[in-house]
Amino acid sequence: MVLKTLYIIELTETEEGGLELVDPSWSAERDAISMTATSEMTASSVDFDMNVSDQQSEFSEWSGSRKSSLFPGPEEGGPPRKKVKSPPVISPTGSSTSIYSGGSSSIDWTTTGTTLEMQGTRVTRTQYGFRTLQESSAKMCLKVTGYPLPDITWYKDDVQLHEDERHTFYSDEDGFFAMTIDPVQVTDTGRYTCMATNEYGQASTSAFFRVLKVEKEAAPPAFVTKLKDKECKEGDVIDFECEVEGWPEPELVWLVDDQPLRPSHDFRLQYDGQTAKLEIRDAQPDDTGVYTVKIQNEFGSIESKAELFVQADPDKNHVAPEFQATIEDVECDEGEEVRFKSVITGDPNPEITWFINGKPLSESEKVKFISEDGICILTIKDVTRHFDGMVTCQGSNRLGSASCDGRLKVRVPPAPPTFNRPLEDKTVQEKSTVVFEVDVSGWPEPTLTFTLCGKELKHGEEGVEIVGHDGFYRISIPNTSIDKHDGEIVAKAQNEHGTAESRARLTVEQEEEESRSAPTFLKDIEDQTVKTGEFAVFETTVRGNPNPEVTWFINGHKMDQGSPGVKIEAHNHDHKLTIDSAQYAGTVLCRAENAVGRFETKARLIVLAPEKQKKAPKFVEILVDKTETVDNTVVFEVRVEGEPKPTVTWYLKGEELKKSDRVEIREFDGSIKLQIKNIKIEEAGEIKAIATNSEGSDETRATLTVQKKPFAPEFDLRPKSLTVEKGSEAVFTAHAFGIPLPTYEWSINGRKVREGQEGARVTRDESTVDGASILTIDTATYYSEVNHLTISVVAENTLGAEETGAQLTIEPKKESVIVDEKDSKKSTSEVQKSSETTQQ
């Protein structure tokens, strides 16, 4: 018996223990080691919610009680940022999503790939996600940007997670978030999702995580169940599924006609190490082919094949997207609401994406989308200068894409410079570094100059650093001395509409070597967990000589007495910060600083989100009537809203439908679908869906019509041969069964009867849906010396045709009748009367 060995990569722990962040560059080395070890077990490829990404996470573990110096604090590591309101962006840890240059800013509105990373001493990557052993520990981590700082919510299989004995949440002001599970259990297997939300939008990422109880005996890959051939109609949802086994868990590759199959909106791949599934949405005739799934591990490989045939729908006329009306340029003032509208056609219905300067928009409180019946509307409330630029509406379907552009010009009212945050007086010891910060507004954006003791400060001279953007500036002066720096510092802001100044006093004191001590926290601040709207209190005691200056930060933003939602109190060496949790959540940091040194203590403020408001179910997408052919598959789809999540029950002709070989009920992308295979004639009737939760119920109904299978026409009523007198009408009747209903074409002596033709007309018996076809001939028009006509009729539909015929004999009209040998004759009228009497 061969057993596979599990290689374990241990992460070093310091004496203090704990989880922290390290230099992102270390992650590449860590990944290389991890890949080497896990290559002895299984292939290291990652499947995140079926969106494959080669990006490696740069969020790593570090043991220590404080943030590593490799991650600067709120006043370190480059220019400070004046936050521009923007939606959440989940990005590879360590990356930046806002680009600043020359005082202007552009916002990256996109979510950059799958970035949820799993770490732990026994966590390894597999093709379906991540794997670990029971009783080990694991940590999921990612980096999120956006302003205001997004709220983070963790979910397992769509169920929200909360902190408890095994689940611990972490966050800091740099946007790093993590959840630790310790110890992991088999029941922790599932899909984990992290949702980041603020008023400007939402972003999410997820990964599948599997927990194994024990190692298994090594074995080559094998199929427990194989793929099966499929046949469907154009537009149907079809799936291939198989179950595999083997250890290490096999790698899996899907092929179509021997070419690799890439996941997309229409091709969804799922694999959890045991069950592999390919789901094809909106099947098309081009999807017809041979589908293959190959599985392999180091002990061998095997494959399973199946054929798919997609029957074309002759009623469908697919069209690439095309704009019938394009968006127009808009000019507005900052703070106004703007609206863009376009009209697009296409089959299948195009998917609509809106862009600002090439960056896709996501829906939020400010940004709203409407897309209905080809009408596409974008509404932006409270427009800011950051929306200025090119607006693009793009529509895409399987056949192609189209786009149209419009210019959004945001007028910003001119304003002279104003200091929102002026310079503050500072007192420092000689040979230390002093930092000044200012925040200035105005339009056009003002230029700033700084002078100290009457001499202009310039970036790069004598170690001075002046960095700034978007009106927020930071001046750092190193190695201060009484002779050069003790005096007044002036900041002057100027634009074409005016100037403004801010002044402050810099006092430089001589160094005092005796009795000096760095700040010391006698009491660290502690984590607080409160409900939304409650007040959280953080308290600490700090000592030092000179007396330390104490400042508070929330998520990296400095708080003062004027900051909304906070109250700062100090009494001797005791300091207290009270926070309104309706306005803040995240990392709270207290910094104590004097001429000797600087120390910090930090804690987390965890705000429990309010429970979702309950509401009764409501169908937002209702059932529609369907007509389908016997033995085919019919699909009904609904979409329902409600809280708690409603349960949907299906009924056919009053009988509840349960899952079976013929009946499949599933949820996909927020919708609930009912699929009935091999439908029968007797199953025609009412389809009903009822949604229920604790708050009530709602229902929707539709009619299922089942028609027989198509077949070529067959005559059940054929025209009969006739003999008539010239001048009277000859009537021929024919009827044929067929699906689709046949059409009829009559001919006289091989010449087709046309509409409006003299002497012949074709009508239909209106008493039934599939009424007989009737040919009426005026014999006076067709009389000739050869008084015999050949009548034929062809019944035809898409599956074939059948022909039948009859003969028409036209006799001359009798003008007189001979009565006796004396050539006595009756009048013409008498002959006619006699003839009529005889016929009667």
Side-chain angles (χ1 to χ4, degrees):
M1 180 176 68
V2 180
L3 290 178
K4 296 303 294 174
T5 304
L6 178 66
Y7 288 81
I8 301 173
I9 306 170
E10 297 288 351
L11 299 180
T12 306
E13 296 188 0
T14 62
E15 295 179 358
E16 294 179 278
L19 299 174
E20 246 327 325
L21 311 176
V22 298
D23 183 1
S25 63
W26 181 75
S27 66
E29 178 183 354
R30 179 210 63 190
D31 289 341
I33 299 173
S34 176
M35 290 285 284
T36 301
T38 56
S39 66
E40 296 294 327
M41 293 186 56
T42 184
S44 296
S45 58
V46 187
D47 179 1
F48 296 110
D49 206 11
M50 299 304 113
N51 293 322
V52 179
S53 173
D54 293 329
Q55 295 178 349
Q56 301 292 325
S57 171
E58 296 176 334
F59 188 46
S60 309
E61 284 197 5
W62 179 260
S63 299
S65 60
R66 296 185 183 275
K67 177 182 286 188
S68 166
S69 61
L70 296 171
F71 285 83
E75 292 186 359
E76 298 175 355
R81 293 185 176 183
K82 179 180 181 181
K83 297 291 186 179
V84 178
K85 291 187 175 182
S86 60
V89 177
I90 299 176
S91 45
T93 54
S95 68
S96 173
T97 56
S98 294
I99 306 170
Y100 294 90
S101 175
S104 63
S105 65
S106 63
I107 303 172
D108 185 355
W109 302 88
T110 62
T111 300
T112 56
T114 302
T115 56
L116 186 58
E117 176 75 5
M118 191 82 68
Q119 298 175 3
T121 55
R122 298 190 178 192
V123 173
T124 56
R125 298 175 185 232
T126 71
Q127 189 161 4
Y128 63 80
F130 293 94
R131 181 186 66 202
T132 192
L133 294 182
Q134 186 182 24
E135 301 302 324
S136 62
S137 63
K139 183 175 73 170
M140 304 174 196
C141 37
L142 74 163
K143 185 169 189 290
V144 182
T145 59
Y147 185 74
L149 188 71
D151 294 322
I152 298 296
T153 312
W154 292 91
Y155 297 87
K156 175 183 176 289
D157 296 332
D158 298 327
V159 177
Q160 185 175 347
L161 296 173
H162 302 280
E163 280 200 315
D164 54 31
E165 294 180 354
R166 294 194 307 113
H167 297 82
T168 304
F169 299 158
Y170 170 85
S171 64
D172 64 19
E173 65 271 17
D174 293 325
F176 291 95
F177 295 88
M179 178 180 67
T180 301
I181 308 175
D182 188 14
V184 295
Q185 300 174 358
V186 174
T187 55
D188 292 323
T189 296
R191 180 163 295 281
Y192 288 81
T193 301
C194 181
M195 186 76 69
T197 307
N198 70 8
E199 63 180 290
Y200 282 74
Q202 190 175 76
S204 66
T205 181
S206 65
F208 190 85
F209 181 49
R210 186 175 177 200
V211 182
L212 302 178
K213 189 172 184 179
V214 293
E215 289 282 6
K216 302 177 182 179
E217 182 179 351
F223 286 98
V224 179
T225 59
K226 294 187 176 182
L227 302 180
K228 296 180 180 179
D229 292 344
K230 300 282 185 177
E231 184 175 340
C232 68
K233 292 181 61 177
E234 182 178 359
D236 285 351
V237 176
I238 197 75
D239 58 74
F240 291 101
E241 186 172 326
C242 64
E243 187 175 347
V244 305
E245 62 182 8
W247 187 258
E249 288 162 349
E251 292 183 50
L252 181 144
V253 177
W254 285 93
L255 306 171
V256 55
D257 293 334
D258 297 326
Q259 297 299 317
L261 181 64
R262 294 183 178 275
S264 66
H265 173 75
D266 294 313
F267 292 88
R268 181 177 176 86
L269 306 180
Q270 293 178 327
Y271 178 49
D272 62 3
Q274 292 180 335
T275 301
K277 184 175 181 180
L278 164 63
E279 187 171 58
I280 305 174
R281 302 192 72 190
D282 189 24
Q284 298 295 309
D286 292 345
D287 298 329
T288 297
V290 178
Y291 288 76
T292 305
V293 58
K294 289 186 177 181
I295 57 173
Q296 65 179 17
N297 63 15
E298 59 192 271
F299 294 100
S301 65
I302 192 173
E303 65 181 36
S304 175
K305 295 186 176 183
E307 291 189 17
L308 171 64
F309 176 73
V310 182
Q311 181 180 349
D313 187 344
D315 296 330
K316 289 192 175 182
N317 183 22
H318 298 307
V319 179
E322 182 179 358
F323 280 96
Q324 306 303 316
T326 58
I327 58 179
E328 297 180 353
D329 295 345
V330 174
E331 188 171 341
C332 68
D333 292 328
E334 191 171 30
E336 290 183 348
E337 178 176 311
V338 295
R339 188 170 178 265
F340 293 90
K341 178 181 178 181
S342 64
V343 180
I344 191 171
T345 57
D347 184 18
N349 289 331
E351 293 186 8
I352 304 301
T353 307
W354 289 92
F355 299 84
I356 292 284
N357 295 323
K359 305 296 183 180
L361 289 171
S362 60
E363 199 162 26
S364 66
E365 293 182 9
K366 287 173 64 70
V367 180
K368 298 295 182 184
F369 304 141
I370 296 176
S371 181
E372 186 174 344
D373 296 332
I375 299 175
C376 313
I377 299 175
L378 164 66
T379 303
I380 307 175
K381 300 178 181 178
D382 189 20
V383 173
T384 66
R385 65 195 68 179
H386 305 290
F387 284 91
D388 187 274
M390 192 62 66
V391 178
T392 303
C393 180
Q394 182 184 78
S396 303
N397 65 13
R398 294 172 63 99
L399 302 180
S401 64
S403 63
C404 60
D405 299 322
R407 179 73 168 86
L408 172 57
K409 183 176 182 180
V410 181
R411 294 187 295 264
V412 181
T418 301
F419 280 95
N420 303 318
R421 177 180 175 181
L423 295 170
E424 298 178 354
D425 293 343
K426 298 277 185 175
T427 300
V428 296
Q429 298 286 329
E430 277 192 302
K431 299 182 180 180
S432 63
T433 298
V434 63
V435 175
F436 291 92
E437 294 178 349
V438 293
D439 184 3
V440 63
S441 61
W443 189 257
E445 188 169 328
T447 56
L448 267 75
T449 56
F450 299 90
T451 57
L452 177 59
C453 301
K455 179 182 178 181
E456 183 176 355
L457 297 174
K458 294 184 178 181
H459 180 75
E461 292 185 1
E462 298 182 346
V464 173
E465 291 185 359
I466 303 176
V467 289
H469 51 75
D470 206 23
F472 191 62
Y473 288 82
R474 181 170 175 264
I475 308 94
S476 175
I477 305 172
N479 196 25
T480 56
S481 67
I482 296 176
D483 296 337
K484 289 184 177 181
H485 303 111
D486 188 273
E488 185 179 50
I489 182 171
V490 179
K492 184 177 180 180
Q494 185 173 4
N495 67 11
E496 59 189 73
H497 300 287
T499 60
E501 286 187 356
S502 175
R503 299 172 180 265
R505 182 72 168 86
L506 173 59
T507 302
V508 183
E509 299 178 343
Q510 290 183 345
E511 289 186 284
E512 297 179 3
E513 298 297 334
E514 297 180 0
S515 303
R516 296 198 312 159
S517 62
T520 301
F521 285 98
L522 304 181
K523 176 184 178 183
D524 286 329
I525 58 176
E526 299 177 350
D527 293 347
Q528 303 288 329
T529 300
V530 297
K531 294 181 180 179
T532 301
E534 294 181 349
F535 288 95
V537 178
F538 294 85
E539 297 180 285
T540 183
T541 301
V542 62
R543 292 182 181 272
N545 188 22
N547 193 37
E549 178 183 356
V550 174
T551 49
W552 293 89
F553 297 86
I554 300 178
N555 296 324
H557 302 285
K558 185 178 179 181
M559 299 290 109
D560 54 39
Q561 292 293 355
S563 300
V566 299
K567 181 181 179 182
I568 300 175
E569 301 175 79
H571 181 69
N572 294 330
H573 304 291
D574 298 325
H575 299 265
K576 181 166 69 173
L577 174 68
T578 304
I579 302 174
D580 179 4
S581 64
Q583 301 187 46
Y584 300 97
T587 302
V588 177
L589 181 144
C590 181
R591 173 183 297 167
E593 183 177 11
N594 63 12
V596 181
R598 180 176 73 181
F599 285 90
E600 300 169 349
T601 177
K602 64 181 177 180
R604 290 174 300 171
L605 171 56
I606 301 169
V607 180
L608 302 179
E611 295 184 359
K612 293 182 179 179
Q613 184 177 0
K614 294 183 177 182
K615 63 178 180 179
K618 176 66 176 177
F619 282 103
V620 295
E621 183 177 327
I622 62 174
L623 291 172
V624 294
D625 295 342
K626 292 286 183 76
T627 299
E628 193 51 80
T629 304
V630 66
D631 293 337
N632 278 359
T633 298
V634 64
V635 178
F636 290 92
E637 182 174 0
V638 296
R639 193 180 297 270
V640 63
E641 295 179 348
E643 183 62 34
K645 184 179 179 181
T647 300
V648 176
T649 309
W650 296 86
Y651 295 88
L652 174 58
K653 300 173 68 173
E655 296 290 332
E656 183 178 351
L657 293 172
K658 302 286 188 180
K659 285 188 177 181
S660 66
D661 292 340
R662 294 181 55 237
V663 178
E664 185 173 351
I665 301 171
R666 57 186 173 179
E667 292 190 28
F668 186 93
D669 196 23
S671 67
I672 303 99
K673 292 188 177 180
L674 167 68
Q675 179 175 290
I676 307 175
K677 303 176 182 177
N678 302 323
I679 60 173
K680 307 180 185 303
I681 290 290
E682 58 270 20
E683 289 178 323
E686 183 185 69
I687 288 284
K688 179 171 64 174
I690 300 179
T692 58
N693 65 9
S694 59
E695 304 305 303
S697 64
D698 191 20
E699 67 177 52
T700 177
R701 301 168 184 258
T703 300
L704 169 61
T705 302
V706 182
Q707 62 185 15
K708 294 181 180 179
K709 284 187 176 180
F711 60 91
E714 296 178 3
F715 281 104
D716 63 319
L717 177 61
R718 299 174 183 270
K720 297 179 180 179
S721 297
L722 297 176
T723 299
V724 298
E725 265 189 3
K726 175 185 175 183
S728 60
E729 289 186 338
V731 179
F732 296 89
T733 304
H735 179 267
F737 286 111
I739 297 178
L741 291 176
T743 59
Y744 299 90
E745 189 173 79
W746 292 85
S747 298
I748 301 174
N749 284 345
R751 297 173 65 89
K752 295 180 181 179
V753 177
R754 306 294 183 183
E755 184 177 356
Q757 180 174 325
E758 182 181 0
R761 69 179 186 275
V762 178
T763 58
R764 190 174 71 86
D765 183 359
E766 301 290 345
S767 61
T768 59
V769 175
D770 58 342
S773 181
I774 302 171
L775 171 65
T776 304
I777 300 175
D778 181 2
T779 57
T781 303
Y782 283 88
Y783 178 76
S784 65
E785 292 182 359
V786 181
N787 299 321
H788 297 282
L789 300 177
T790 300
I791 309 300
S792 63
V793 59
V794 177
E796 184 179 10
N797 65 11
T798 56
L799 297 183
E802 186 176 13
E803 183 176 4
T804 186
Q807 295 292 323
L808 172 60
T809 302
I810 305 175
E811 294 182 341
K813 187 175 180 181
K814 295 179 182 180
E815 297 292 339
S816 62
V817 177
I818 299 175
V819 179
D820 53 30
E821 295 179 356
K822 297 179 178 180
D823 294 331
S824 300
K825 296 182 180 180
K826 294 182 179 182
S827 67
T828 302
S829 61
E830 289 175 337
V831 173
Q832 291 176 344
K833 289 180 180 179
S834 176
S835 175
E836 291 175 357
T837 303
T838 302
Q839 291 178 357
Q840 292 178 357

